[in-house]
Amino acid sequence: MLDWIGPAMVIAAKDLRLEMRTKSILSSVGLFALLVVVVASFSFPATGAGKNGVAAGLLWMSFLFSSLLGMGRSFSLEDEEACIEGLMASPAPRESIYLGKLLANLLFIGAVEAVVLPAFLILFQLEPGRGIPLLALTAFLGTLGIVALGTLFSAMAVKTRTREAILPLLVMPLCVPIVIAAVKATETALGGAALSASASWLYLLAGFDALLVTVGLAAFPYVLDE
Amino acid sequence: MSSRVDEATAGAGDGRDVGRQTATRWRRRALGFGTLVGLGVLVWAAFAYAPQDIKQGPSQRIFYIHVPSAWIAFLAFAVVFGASIAFLATRNHRWDQVAVSSAEIGTVFTTAVLVTGPLWARPVWGVYWSWDPRLTSVLVLWLIYLSYLALRGYVVEPDRRARFSAVLGIVGFLDVPIVYLSVRWWRALHPNYVVLARGGPQMPGAMLATLMIGIAAFTLLYLYLMALRLRVERLRANDLEERP
């Protein structure tokens, strides 16, 4: 398992270098995430008693949709110039390709979230204070789960007739538990609660993430098996 | 292109093959007959044999269709899961044929669960739908297998289609218990419906017997539909092979 890490780092570094030069994912996905927050804030009344719940749901809709947009790009970039064949011909094991792409996706989407989250807190006049560690950990665990699913299925999606368009259809039903757990924990965090207040949701997220990454590693070689 | 001719001529050169096909056809007909009888007995038992529920009245009788449908849905998706693993392990396309046949049948029965449930819930609970853990899990299950069928529709190349859908068949099935768990925790903050108390009301023997007849008849129906659906898959595969 340790020899998966090295090639995975190389693949993630390749994606980062590409992104540093083009900035295509960060700019388009970042803008999209912000747009979802702004447009959705006109659609839902985020004031009064249930404000934290509405805001938490809205934040995760933005994170989920923008992750789907970003991850769709992940393998279509590889497919365009037949890079994926190059990766498959390289000595890197298939598991490393999965881990590398997962890591790159996590970094891109994490970067987008790091920009959108403060903007969101300001726009919705939220001051979580002591809830910030819980908010950050929830964002990380939730995103990891979405990315673990999305990386597996975006490798499939590019080889279908619809290309990336099918990715949301595949990922959204499967990530229902992530959305439920992340929204609940975020709602608690926005109320200024410490980590322990949502311990069971964090365990659920962490356990589900572990399952998804394991299944992803086991299944990915079968997806890239031409 | 007549499928009956295809099947009859597929192994015409070999007397043993013809004999085996005839045996398969008779087995399929026997299964169909058994299913018909089973469903007939179920209709009689559900309407005439089982006693009327005092509180819920006649609407409770939908239960004899609803619960067997749910049982078949879970059975069908468990078969998809097993066949998907078997396909990835053996690369034998027969397993893919089993998986897609079972997934389609499972989706039909899940739809039946989602239609009969609200029909019963309206008079008894007062609403068609509640975000109860079991209902919500079945809804998510239904969406997962619709996406499974959609994926199959979008991949043209048969080997790739089989691999991709096997991966989704496995991930989807593993997802279901987690969905159930998360929805149960999610709803824990809200009041529960009282009609379906945990442990359930004690069921009279005739009701339980009717339910068992329903489960047996629906299992026969599942096996019969699988036999028909698999035959379509096999004929389609033969047809592709024979074309130049």
Side-chain angles (χ1 to χ4, degrees):
Chain A
M1 261 175 90
L2 275 178
D3 40 316
W4 293 346
I5 309 283
M9 290 301 178
V10 175
I11 291 167
K14 165 194 81 79
D15 276 12
L16 282 185
R17 198 151 54 235
L18 185 67
E19 182 56 28
M20 289 306 224
R21 288 179 191 162
T22 61
K23 297 177 186 66
S24 67
I25 294 181
L26 286 184
S27 56
S28 63
V29 175
L31 185 57
F32 179 76
L34 201 61
L35 278 169
V36 173
V37 167
V38 173
V39 172
S41 63
F42 298 126
S43 319
F44 303 107
T47 47
K51 178 182 171 181
N52 288 346
V54 173
L58 222 148
L59 182 69
W60 278 96
M61 283 299 102
S62 164
F63 283 179
L64 176 62
F65 292 155
S66 42
S67 304
L68 288 169
L69 186 69
M71 292 183 302
R73 290 292 294 152
S74 168
F75 272 95
S76 59
L77 280 175
E78 302 285 358
D79 200 47
E80 271 162 19
E81 304 286 343
C83 284
I84 193 73
E85 275 77 17
L87 280 178
M88 281 159 62
S90 75
R94 301 280 194 264
E95 287 86 356
S96 298
I97 304 180
Y98 177 74
L99 281 181
K101 298 300 283 185
L102 188 152
L103 193 60
N105 278 332
L106 192 62
L107 286 171
F108 296 152
I109 294 161
V112 167
E113 289 177 357
V115 176
V116 172
L117 193 54
F120 160 83
L121 292 176
I122 292 167
L123 287 174
F124 282 85
Q125 299 147 24
L126 292 161
E127 286 175 28
R130 283 197 322 128
I132 285 175
L134 177 58
L135 192 58
L137 189 58
T138 307
F140 170 74
L141 290 175
T143 310
L144 177 60
I146 293 172
V147 168
L149 276 172
T151 306
L152 177 65
F153 286 107
S154 67
M156 271 188 207
V158 291
K159 296 288 185 189
T160 65
R161 276 196 289 138
T162 51
R163 320 255 320 156
E164 306 98 275
I166 199 176
L167 186 63
L169 298 189
L170 301 176
V171 172
M172 281 169 74
L174 295 172
C175 71
V176 164
I178 301 173
V179 174
I180 290 177
V183 168
K184 279 289 168 188
T186 304
E187 184 183 352
T188 318
L190 292 178
L195 278 178
S196 55
S198 281
S200 56
W201 288 119
L202 293 176
Y203 288 136
L204 180 81
L205 277 174
F208 194 45
D209 287 354
L211 175 75
L212 291 177
V213 173
T214 312
V215 172
L217 280 171
F220 195 73
Y222 294 102
V223 175
L224 281 195
D225 182 25
E226 306 281 296
Chain B
M1 275 291 289
S2 156
S3 54
R4 201 160 257 295
V5 175
D6 273 359
E7 191 186 29
T9 53
D14 190 338
R16 234 182 30 208
D17 265 20
V18 173
R20 205 176 56 209
Q21 280 176 4
T22 315
T24 312
R25 190 174 305 152
W26 278 107
R27 216 178 305 140
R28 199 160 55 220
R29 281 181 189 162
L31 193 56
F33 185 71
T35 306
L36 197 64
V37 171
L39 290 176
V41 173
L42 174 63
V43 170
W44 166 77
F47 285 106
Y49 173 61
Q52 184 99 316
D53 187 285
I54 294 174
K55 280 188 197 148
Q56 301 177 18
S59 64
Q60 182 268 338
R61 292 181 195 276
I62 206 166
F63 169 82
Y64 304 119
I65 302 289
H66 180 76
V67 177
S69 298
W71 149 249
I72 295 303
F74 284 113
L75 174 71
F77 295 139
V79 169
V80 176
F81 178 66
S84 298
I85 292 177
F87 172 77
L88 291 182
T90 64
R91 298 302 170 103
N92 183 342
H93 275 263
R94 289 244 156 149
W95 289 118
D96 183 52
Q97 296 171 352
V98 172
V100 64
S101 306
S102 198
E104 278 184 11
I105 298 169
T107 309
V108 170
F109 280 97
T110 314
T111 312
V113 173
L114 289 173
V115 171
T116 53
L119 285 180
W120 170 85
R122 184 66 177 87
V124 177
W125 287 351
V127 286
Y128 284 108
W129 186 260
S130 97
W131 292 95
D132 151 278
R134 231 173 295 173
L135 291 182
T136 312
S137 309
V138 171
L139 179 63
V140 175
L141 187 73
W142 187 68
L143 291 169
I144 290 174
Y145 287 93
L146 283 182
S147 79
Y148 175 95
L149 295 176
L151 174 67
R152 294 193 70 100
Y154 289 125
V155 189
V156 187
E157 204 268 306
D159 186 60
R160 189 182 279 168
R161 180 172 61 221
R163 279 187 289 113
F164 286 7
S165 50
V167 168
L168 184 53
I170 294 167
V171 181
F173 193 74
L174 293 176
D175 209 72
V176 173
I178 317 282
V179 172
Y180 183 76
L181 187 70
S182 61
V183 181
R184 230 179 71 181
W185 287 2
W186 174 55
R187 295 307 290 185
L189 299 171
H190 297 255
N192 273 325
Y193 285 91
V194 284
V195 178
L196 280 185
R198 188 162 295 269
Q202 287 304 307
M203 206 186 284
M207 281 187 173
L208 195 63
T210 307
L211 180 62
M212 289 301 139
I213 294 170
I215 286 177
F218 270 59
T219 307
L220 282 177
L221 178 60
Y222 170 74
L223 293 174
Y224 181 54
L225 291 174
M226 274 300 274
L228 292 182
R229 188 63 187 75
L230 270 173
R231 178 167 161 245
V232 173
E233 283 297 314
R234 297 228 170 98
L235 290 172
R236 206 177 269 165
N238 286 341
D239 195 39
L240 284 178
E241 272 171 24
E242 278 161 20
R243 247 181 243 171

